[in-house]
Amino acid sequence: MTKISEIFGGRSLSAEEFEAALAGSGYSLFGAEEKRALEKRLEEQKAEFESELTRSRVSAALKYELKRRGAHNVSLAAAAIGIDGFAGDEKDAEAFAEEKVEKFRREEPYMFADAKGSPVSTGASHGESAPDTDSMSDSEYYNYIKIN
């Protein structure tokens, strides 16, 4: 029977060195099938995490672009736009966000402030206000009524 001190030589080992020394001695903490299953599960979880991290970064880029462009309610606008259809890595997130926000701004201009910070114009005419008929003289009033 091999002693533990013979396998490890009484020294501190890194995880990789530990596995190599253990495998070299013919021992294993896990069976080969268990180890492969754990490695597969680890890879799947790593891929899920990376995917979620990318989605979070794309979402943050979208919210940043909305804020930069003057959206009145960034969270509402980001929810309306969504990040569905994003295909790429983190480097493509900024371009994706710019494109989506520009399209949304054209379609829903009321959701954004213009360069001066006031709401976008509705396009309605804002001509002169109606004259104050109480302050008119009789002749001005009758002239006004006759014209209108």
Side-chain angles (χ1 to χ4, degrees), residues 3 23 31 34 45 48 58 63 85 99 101 117 125 127 129-130 137 148:
K3 293 184 180 180
E34 291 172 322
Q45 288 179 342
E48 287 175 22
V58 172
K63 288 179 179 179
E99 179 183 321
V101 170
S125 173
S129 61
S137 68
N148 293 327

Side-chain angles (χ1 to χ4, degrees), residues 44-70:
E44 289 169 355
Q45 288 179 342
K46 182 180 175 186
E48 287 175 22
F49 174 75
E50 287 174 353
S51 174
E52 184 60 33
L53 184 61
T54 299
R55 290 181 62 82
S56 293
R57 287 186 172 148
V58 172
S59 180
L62 181 64
K63 288 179 179 179
Y64 173 77
E65 187 64 20
L66 284 163
K67 178 109 175 123
R68 191 177 75 78
R69 296 280 187 103

Side-chain angles (χ1 to χ4, degrees), residues 124-132 136 144 148:
S125 173
H126 301 287
E128 297 179 22
S129 61
D132 182 15
M136 292 181 183
Y144 172 71
N148 293 327

Side-chain angles (χ1 to χ4, degrees), residues 28-137:
S28 173
L29 293 177
F30 301 105
E33 287 298 315
E34 291 172 322
K35 185 175 180 180
R36 277 191 291 258
L38 286 173
E39 287 173 346
K40 181 180 177 185
R41 185 168 174 230
L42 179 63
E43 287 301 316
E44 289 169 355
Q45 288 179 342
K46 182 180 175 186
E48 287 175 22
F49 174 75
E50 287 174 353
S51 174
E52 184 60 33
L53 184 61
T54 299
R55 290 181 62 82
S56 293
R57 287 186 172 148
V58 172
S59 180
L62 181 64
K63 288 179 179 179
Y64 173 77
E65 187 64 20
L66 284 163
K67 178 109 175 123
R68 191 177 75 78
R69 296 280 187 103
H72 291 299
N73 187 332
V74 172
S75 297
L76 180 65
I81 294 172
I83 60 171
D84 295 335
F86 176 75
D89 57 12
E90 296 165 12
K91 297 172 190 170
D92 302 325
E94 190 175 318
F96 174 82
E98 287 175 3
E99 179 183 321
K100 286 287 199 174
V101 170
E102 183 58 36
K103 181 180 178 195
F104 187 71
R105 186 177 176 128
R106 282 191 309 269
E107 293 172 355
E108 312 293 340
Y110 60 89
M111 295 285 289
F112 295 86
D114 65 11
K116 296 176 188 164
S118 62
V120 176
S121 173
T122 61
S125 173
H126 301 287
E128 297 179 22
S129 61
D132 182 15
T133 56
D134 290 336
S135 65
M136 292 181 183
S137 68

Side-chain angles (χ1 to χ4, degrees), residues 16-34:
E16 292 81 18
E17 291 171 331
F18 176 80
E19 275 189 34
L22 205 55
S25 69
Y27 293 102
S28 173
L29 293 177
F30 301 105
E33 287 298 315
E34 291 172 322

